[in-house]
Amino acid sequence: GLTDLHSHLVPGVDDGARTIEDSLEGIGRLWEVGIRTLVTTPHLDASLTQTPYRLEVHLEEMDEAFELLRAAVAKTHPDMNIGRGHEVMLDVPDAVLEDQRLRLAESPFVLLEWPHLKVPPATQAVLTRLGGTGIKIVLAHPERYRGLDANLNLAGAWRTSGAFLQVNYGSLVGRYGDSARGRVLRFLERGWVDLFSTDFHGRPHLSLYVEEARQAMEILGGTDHFELLARINPTRVLKGLDPYPVPPLVGSRGVWDKVRDLFRGRERG
C-alpha cells in the first residue's frame, strides 16, 4: 500500500475535516486509492511553540481529538495504520520543534510550510538553522508558493539546506493551476521531488487525485518514480530514514502536453 504524510483529517481542529463523519469518509476514500498508512497533520503556527504553556494546551486538545479519530478508524478500517504529526507554519523563524508530537509520527521529521503560501525572506538560513537542531525537514507543497524565483533556484537551495520536498498529487494534474503543475514537472526533471502526498482536507467534495497522478506519471514514463514518491520514500521517513534520491524524469517534456490535455478542464474540487 501507499503511505501518505500530509492530510487534515483530525475533526474540527483546522480547515480540514469538520466532523468525525467527514474524517471517516475521507479515510474510506484514502483506502480505496490504495493508501494503507497515513500521518494526518493538523495546522499549527510556529509562534505557538515559543510559549510552552500555550503549546501544551493546544497539543493536549489535539491529543484528545486524534484519539477519537484513532478509535473510530480502528472500528471502520482496522487495517489502516494511522499516526499524527502537524503541518507547522513558520510564521516566526525561530520555531521550537522539540516536542515529539510535532513530528511525523514521532519520527525525526517535521512537516513545515511557509506562511500564507508566500515565500518569506531568508528561507534558506531558517532551514539551515532548524536542521542544525537535529530535526529533519519535509517542506510542504513547494510548487504552490508565491514569490518563488522563475528559475526555481530557491527550491534547489532549500534542498541544499537539507529539506526534502513534498509535492501534492493534485498539483501534478492541475488542481492548483498551470503554474503549480509546470513547477512540478520542472522539479521532476531535476530530481527534486522527494515525496508525494494528498494534502487532503477531508471535505466530501474534494478529490484526492492519487489515481490521476499515477496515470500522469505513467504517461511521463515515471512508473518507478511514482513507486518511490508514493510508497517507498514516505515509508522511509516514518522509519527515520532519509528518502532515497529520485532520478530526474528525463525525456518528459515532449509528452507533457498529453498530460496537460488529459486533465485540462477537469473541475478543480
Side-chain angles (χ1 to χ4, degrees), residues 44-47 49-50 55 86-90 92-103 107-112 126 129-131 133-137:
L44 184 143
D45 293 347
S47 54
T49 71
Q50 298 178 323
L55 176 64
H86 282 85
E87 183 181 15
V88 180
M89 183 180 73
L90 288 173
V92 295
D94 49 350
V96 181
L97 303 174
E98 297 176 355
D99 195 300
Q100 286 294 316
R101 289 170 290 180
L102 300 175
R103 316 289 179 88
S107 74
F109 290 84
V110 177
L111 181 69
L112 301 179
V126 170
R129 186 193 68 78
L130 290 174
T133 66
I135 69 167
K136 295 177 181 288
I137 296 167

Side-chain angles (χ1 to χ4, degrees), residues 10-28:
V10 179
V13 299
D14 61 7
D15 60 343
R18 293 169 176 164
T19 66
I20 192 66
E21 290 77 17
D22 285 346
S23 301
L24 294 178
E25 192 271 347
I27 294 289

Side-chain angles (χ1 to χ4, degrees), residues 59-81:
L59 290 178
E60 287 180 357
E61 292 174 352
M62 291 292 163
D63 292 343
E64 182 177 353
F66 178 68
E67 286 307 315
L68 291 174
L69 174 62
R70 193 207 299 269
V73 171
K75 294 179 180 179
T76 61
H77 292 83
D79 294 327
M80 177 72 85
N81 300 311

Side-chain angles (χ1 to χ4, degrees), residues 12-202:
V13 299
D14 61 7
D15 60 343
R18 293 169 176 164
T19 66
I20 192 66
E21 290 77 17
D22 285 346
S23 301
L24 294 178
E25 192 271 347
I27 294 289
R29 292 168 62 189
L30 291 168
W31 182 269
E32 288 175 358
V33 298
I35 291 170
R36 297 293 180 265
T37 299
L38 71 97
V39 179
T40 191
T41 50
H43 289 291
L44 184 143
D45 293 347
S47 54
L48 196 63
T49 71
Q50 298 178 323
T51 308
Y53 171 75
R54 291 179 58 217
L55 176 64
E56 181 60 29
V57 169
H58 180 85
L59 290 178
E60 287 180 357
E61 292 174 352
M62 291 292 163
D63 292 343
E64 182 177 353
F66 178 68
E67 286 307 315
L68 291 174
L69 174 62
R70 193 207 299 269
V73 171
K75 294 179 180 179
T76 61
H77 292 83
D79 294 327
M80 177 72 85
N81 300 311
I82 182 170
R84 195 191 85 207
H86 282 85
E87 183 181 15
V88 180
M89 183 180 73
L90 288 173
D91 58 335
V92 295
D94 49 350
V96 181
L97 303 174
E98 297 176 355
D99 195 300
Q100 286 294 316
R101 289 170 290 180
L102 300 175
R103 316 289 179 88
L104 293 171
E106 299 186 356
S107 74
F109 290 84
V110 177
L111 181 69
L112 301 179
E113 67 170 339
W114 304 124
H116 313 300
L117 291 176
K118 184 176 181 180
V119 177
T123 53
Q124 187 175 6
V126 170
L127 294 177
T128 299
R129 186 193 68 78
L130 290 174
T133 66
I135 69 167
K136 295 177 181 288
I137 296 167
V138 174
L139 187 62
H141 42 62
E143 73 279 6
R144 296 185 60 199
Y145 294 112
R146 299 185 302 276
L148 195 61
D149 60 294
N151 292 324
L152 307 183
N153 293 328
L154 185 56
W158 293 337
R159 298 186 83 249
T160 300
S161 300
F164 298 97
L165 303 188
Q166 173 263 301
V167 160
N168 288 359
Y169 288 109
S171 295
L172 179 62
V173 296
R175 159 71 175 87
Y176 305 100
D178 288 341
S179 177
R181 179 168 49 189
R183 287 174 174 177
V184 172
L185 175 64
R186 294 165 69 189
F187 289 157
L188 288 168
E189 289 177 332
R190 299 177 189 186
W192 286 0
V193 183
D194 299 291
L195 308 158
F196 278 154
S197 291
T198 63
D199 193 7
F200 182 47
H201 276 61

